[in-house]
Amino acid sequence: MGNDSYNRRQFLKTSGALPALSAVALAAQRDVALASDPADPVAGAVPPRWALKELEGALTSRGIRVNFVDRPEQAKGDFCVVAAGHEAATSRGYLKTSSLRIAAAPEALGFAPFKQGSMPALLACGHDERGLVYAVLELADLVRTSADPVAALAAAKPLAEQPANRVRSLTRLFCTDVEDKPWYNDREMWPRYLTMLAEQRFNRFNLAMGIGYDFVRQVTDAYFLFAYPFLLNVPGYSVRSPQLPAAERDSNLAMLKFISEQTVLRGMQFQLGLWMHAYEWINSPSPNYTIEGLNKQNHGPYCRDAVRLLLQACPAISGITFRIHGESGVDEGSYDFWKTVFDGVATCGRKVEIDMHAKGMDENMQEVALNTGLPITISPKYWAEHMGLPYHQADIRSLEVPRTDRQATGLMRLSAGERSFLRYGYGDLLKEDRRWKVVHRIWPGTQRLLLWGDPVTAASHSRNFSFCGSDGVEIMEPLSFKGRRGSGLAGDRAGYAEPALKPRWDWEKYAYSHRIWGRILYNPECEPEVWRRYLRTQFGAGAAATETALSNASRILPAITTVHGASAGNNTYWPEVYLNQSMVDGEHSRPYTDTPTPRVFGNVSPLDPQLFSPINDFADQLLKGEHTGKYSPVEAAVWLEDWAAAASGGLAQAEKQATHRDRPEYRRLAIDVALQADIGRFFASKFRSGVLYRIFEQSGDRAALEESLKLYRAARAAFAQAANRAKGVYVADLTVGENPQLRGHWLDRLPAIDADIALVAAKLDQAKAVPSAPNVHRAIQAALARPRRTTPACKHTAPASFRPGQPLEIALLTGKAAASVRLHYRHVNQAERFQSVEMQAQGNSYRAAIPGAYLDASYPLQYYFEVRQAPDSAALFPGFGAEVTGLPYFVVRRQG
């Protein structure tokens, strides 16, 4: 601990993250007392004591002497920090004086300034150990990021906080021995990394193994793929990987023990992910590691005994994440196998949580897990394998709706059959009377390389991770799947070609991203000063401009995946380094086979088809003079254009104001902001071009085609600008998989764009130059316009709850009479489709009743309104709002 604190102080000094200490400040050295009663059961626990050493290190690194005392009255010096549990006698007195109330809730914390005689002092207290860890680490962060640490401590105001989400988890994935063994075995990296997570109030860390492949075909890199033999020799079995030395196997287990213990030391839960239980590689002539000694008869018993032994060898592990669907290598519906494996967890000698990935989940599997008597969590995907706008999608794509015309069989018989609605969402898991916890998992499809950081959308996401009683979120960290499926390349994991841009450890690039996510997941009303003080240490007077630039850039890619879900799978769709999908050719549509036919750009489904129109559908509506009220691709284009402009404007301001613009921290941010702005302009122009191309297809109008071609070329110019920005900055072969869409560089994508532009241009020969018909002319103008949706002036108060079996009256008041109002409603169950009913008007008041028979179900209810003023004028209420961050529907929970 002492060496780690010293190394951390040296790193902070040499990295330039701290304001320089002047000679005067050093000469007038100050003293801070840290008071902590060893008899206090909260403050005396190991994690709070560790946090106090971190605060000591932060203070001493700033030239401040630290004295530890048991009680505040023993303190001498310039300032005193008292660390205590909020029920301790010391805390009760100070809290009563300050009238501050600390919630009796896990992880709650508070700060209460007071005077110890004439000395200014601050009480940092927590309801429990973890709450106190967060309170003390908050002060350490304040010390590191303030020009005058003692003055900053003295200026602290009374504050009470408690977490909005019970689970705030981050996953780090082991995918490849080439890129991942170095960080796995780095004993210097782990304490720094885990300290960063604890500082940002993540309370769970998940180390995931066996996720390098979805299916065990063409396996080349099998390290940790079937994890047990890489960690253990299980007595009674001759199971091993013959290519793995026993000493390396034992070292792997020692490292896992070290990592898990370091996690728990910091007050976090350690979760181990075991995603693969296959042991035979199919059509794999040259894997680097194989498994011997297993067959169908001993497979289940071996896994049972191995997981039990593993949990006994690593007592700091408190949860196991299992992938239980067919991609685990075990046929879906193999309930006896999983019952056997779960028995190993249940008999390890302590209570360990079982967390099951939701895909392929059914009632039988739920019962198998629940019958263990252990805590059970089910973790569905949030926004498929991507990241979308900050709400739970109202509906899933039609491709995920179960088909009734065929029966799936084999490995994926549930997730490809009757349970397909759970592939990419929460499905039917949010029953009111459920006996499991639900934690939503963010997969790394949309953004896995470029820097992210937007407090506004993070706050909206945070509020939605407790959706209908959900327990929180697990985020797959940036660079997840780097080197996956045998595509690992030796060298810099962060993907930089320019050596000066490489961080020592890849996660250091994303320190700001982790700060935004972690702190706002804990409290979506978090004070902006929490991230702004960090930005000031990095960029000085340019802090506000960099926040503006990165915030706006960070909204671009999630909006693209929401509006244009070319694939729900991250193995196919990587919008950061987008492989072009043709506007014209649906016959040669690879890799975009996970989209409706014909598989052309304009026919792609939104990831939320309930609230967004596909390009072709919207163009057809324009030609008919109709509008459904759904958000259109042209509206999305406006969002992207505006965010790109705001990001570029903030970056231009930062170029004038920011300090240390030659440092890698600034250059990495500036490059990634500019790239995302270019990507936003590309998709904005291509969305508009796609609408115009469809208008041409339906009308034969040459003007529509000419405008489409003009915008497609503008899109190409934006993408080329991004590609040239990234040239020499990022390596020529970025790999997150083995297929063309998962590797390469932005420059590689230009030929496909050029080829498709040529196909569009060739259509000019078919188009005659004649005046556009009136409806076509209007449609063209609408595709080129900048529509601003006006949310209807409506008033609605959602019912507090509903009674099962009784009808629910819904009323809406509009500012003026509408042509019609429709109520759209559905159980909070993605296995079902929305119902709708025309509301009855009485002046500008509209009423409808949801039938009692419909409400006789164990799910919450969600609904929204479609307000129509004319055939071509409709809008949704409540909608997303001007910031595109609002919850677009109302939710009512069941009573009782």
Side-chain angles (χ1 to χ4, degrees), residues 159-192:
L159 175 70
E161 290 185 286
Q162 66 185 93
N165 293 286
R166 188 185 70 82
V167 176
R168 307 175 304 280
S169 183
L170 194 75
T171 302
R172 190 169 179 91
L173 284 61
F174 192 106
C175 292
T176 166
D177 65 342
V178 174
E179 296 191 13
D180 294 342
K181 278 169 74 173
W183 60 255
Y184 179 79
N185 290 296
D186 190 340
R187 286 180 178 258
E188 187 179 1
M189 184 278 286
W190 281 110
R192 305 262 184 95

Side-chain angles (χ1 to χ4, degrees), residues 226 229 232-234 237-241 291-294 298 302:
F226 179 60
L232 300 160
N233 176 39
V234 182
Y237 302 88
S238 299
V239 177
R240 68 188 186 103
S241 175
I291 307 298
E292 290 182 351
L294 281 175
N298 68 0
Y302 168 79

Side-chain angles (χ1 to χ4, degrees), residues 23-85:
V24 174
L26 288 169
Q29 192 173 54
R30 290 170 293 176
D31 295 86
V32 169
L34 301 182
S36 179
D37 184 352
D40 179 347
V42 173
V46 171
R49 293 206 311 270
W50 166 81
L52 280 168
K53 294 297 289 184
E54 284 295 307
L55 177 55
E56 178 195 21
L59 288 162
T60 57
S61 73
R62 303 301 305 278
I64 298 168
R65 280 191 296 256
V66 176
N67 300 299
F68 280 94
V69 296
D70 293 345
R71 296 183 301 279
E73 53 267 27
Q74 298 171 335
K76 297 178 181 178
D78 301 287
F79 195 82
C80 178
V81 173
V82 180

Side-chain angles (χ1 to χ4, degrees), residues 73-307:
E73 53 267 27
Q74 298 171 335
K76 297 178 181 178
D78 301 287
F79 195 82
C80 178
V81 173
V82 180
H86 93 290
E87 288 293 333
T90 304
S91 296
R92 287 200 298 268
Y94 296 133
L95 290 172
K96 185 175 181 181
T97 301
S98 67
S99 300
L100 190 70
R101 294 180 59 84
I102 307 300
E107 304 183 18
L109 61 87
F111 297 104
F114 66 98
K115 286 276 189 175
Q116 180 59 46
S118 61
M119 182 192 305
L122 180 68
L123 170 68
C125 64
H127 170 71
D128 53 14
E129 295 174 18
R130 197 174 281 163
L132 184 54
V133 167
Y134 295 154
V136 173
L137 293 180
E138 169 73 359
L139 300 183
D141 187 64
L142 187 63
V143 166
R144 285 193 295 267
T145 56
S146 299
D148 185 336
V150 175
L153 292 172
K157 294 180 172 56
L159 175 70
E161 290 185 286
Q162 66 185 93
N165 293 286
R166 188 185 70 82
V167 176
R168 307 175 304 280
S169 183
L170 194 75
T171 302
R172 190 169 179 91
L173 284 61
F174 192 106
C175 292
T176 166
D177 65 342
V178 174
E179 296 191 13
D180 294 342
K181 278 169 74 173
W183 60 255
Y184 179 79
N185 290 296
D186 190 340
R187 286 180 178 258
E188 187 179 1
M189 184 278 286
W190 281 110
R192 305 262 184 95
Y193 174 69
L194 294 168
T195 295
M196 178 272 296
L197 295 185
E199 286 174 341
Q200 306 316 331
R201 304 188 188 176
F202 288 96
N203 64 1
R204 187 171 89 169
F205 172 65
N206 190 335
L207 179 60
M209 298 175 175
I211 202 165
Y213 288 82
D214 297 324
F215 300 99
V216 285
R217 295 190 290 264
Q218 283 83 49
V219 172
T220 57
D221 185 350
Y223 205 93
F224 276 143
L225 187 56
F226 179 60
Y228 304 121
F230 289 84
L231 295 165
L232 300 160
N233 176 39
V234 182
Y237 302 88
S238 299
V239 177
R240 68 188 186 103
S241 175
Q243 298 83 9
L244 183 76
E248 186 173 345
R249 179 199 64 208
D250 295 344
S251 175
N252 285 340
L253 181 63
M255 271 310 303
L256 181 61
K257 192 169 186 290
F258 172 78
I259 296 164
S260 60
E261 289 172 348
Q262 288 290 309
T263 303
V264 172
L265 172 66
R266 288 155 175 78
M268 294 183 290
Q269 175 184 342
F270 182 84
Q271 189 88 3
L272 180 65
L274 297 173
W275 285 71
M276 182 63 72
H277 276 76
Y279 58 91
E280 291 181 313
W281 318 147
I282 301 167
N283 297 329
S284 303
S286 55
N288 55 359
Y289 294 90
T290 57
I291 307 298
E292 290 182 351
L294 281 175
N295 54 49
K296 290 182 179 180
Q297 286 69 43
N298 68 0
H299 182 207
Y302 168 79
C303 293
R304 174 199 61 209
D305 295 346
V307 74

Side-chain angles (χ1 to χ4, degrees), residues 621-790:
Q621 292 166 23
L622 289 179
L623 289 168
K624 295 175 183 176
E626 298 175 353
H627 186 33
T628 65
K630 292 183 180 183
Y631 287 84
S632 76
V634 174
E635 288 177 277
V638 172
W639 298 342
L640 299 178
E641 290 158 356
D642 289 350
W643 291 330
S648 297
L651 192 56
Q653 193 71 15
E655 286 288 336
K656 299 174 184 176
Q657 297 175 337
T659 55
H660 309 305
R661 291 192 299 278
D662 58 333
R663 285 184 178 173
E665 292 81 5
Y666 178 80
R667 292 188 58 218
R668 288 194 293 256
L669 181 145
I671 290 163
D672 285 5
V673 165
L675 284 172
Q676 289 173 84
D678 291 337
I679 293 166
R681 294 185 183 99
F682 167 81
F683 275 99
S685 292
K686 194 174 180 188
F687 286 168
R688 291 182 185 273
S689 177
V691 172
L692 288 157
Y693 184 78
R694 176 64 172 184
I695 293 170
F696 158 72
E697 278 192 318
Q698 295 296 91
S699 67
D701 188 273
R702 184 181 180 91
L705 183 59
E706 288 172 342
E707 293 291 348
S708 174
L709 191 56
K710 187 188 303 182
L711 281 163
Y712 206 169
R713 286 171 173 153
R716 195 268 186 204
F719 201 94
Q721 183 164 280
N724 285 302
R725 286 188 204 276
K727 184 179 181 180
V729 173
Y730 284 103
V731 295
D733 190 11
L734 295 161
T735 59
V736 294
E738 80 284 26
N739 293 321
Q741 71 272 16
L742 298 176
R743 66 186 310 161
H745 190 276
W746 291 269
L747 288 167
D748 302 337
R749 297 348 192 200
L750 290 172
I753 299 173
D754 291 336
D756 200 45
I757 288 175
L759 290 177
V760 174
K763 299 285 184 178
L764 284 169
D765 295 337
Q766 306 171 17
K768 296 180 181 180
V770 297
S772 300
N775 69 317
V776 176
H777 177 74
R778 286 192 297 269
I780 292 171
Q781 294 307 305
L784 297 171
R786 288 181 53 82
R788 292 289 182 185
R789 177 175 292 236
T790 302

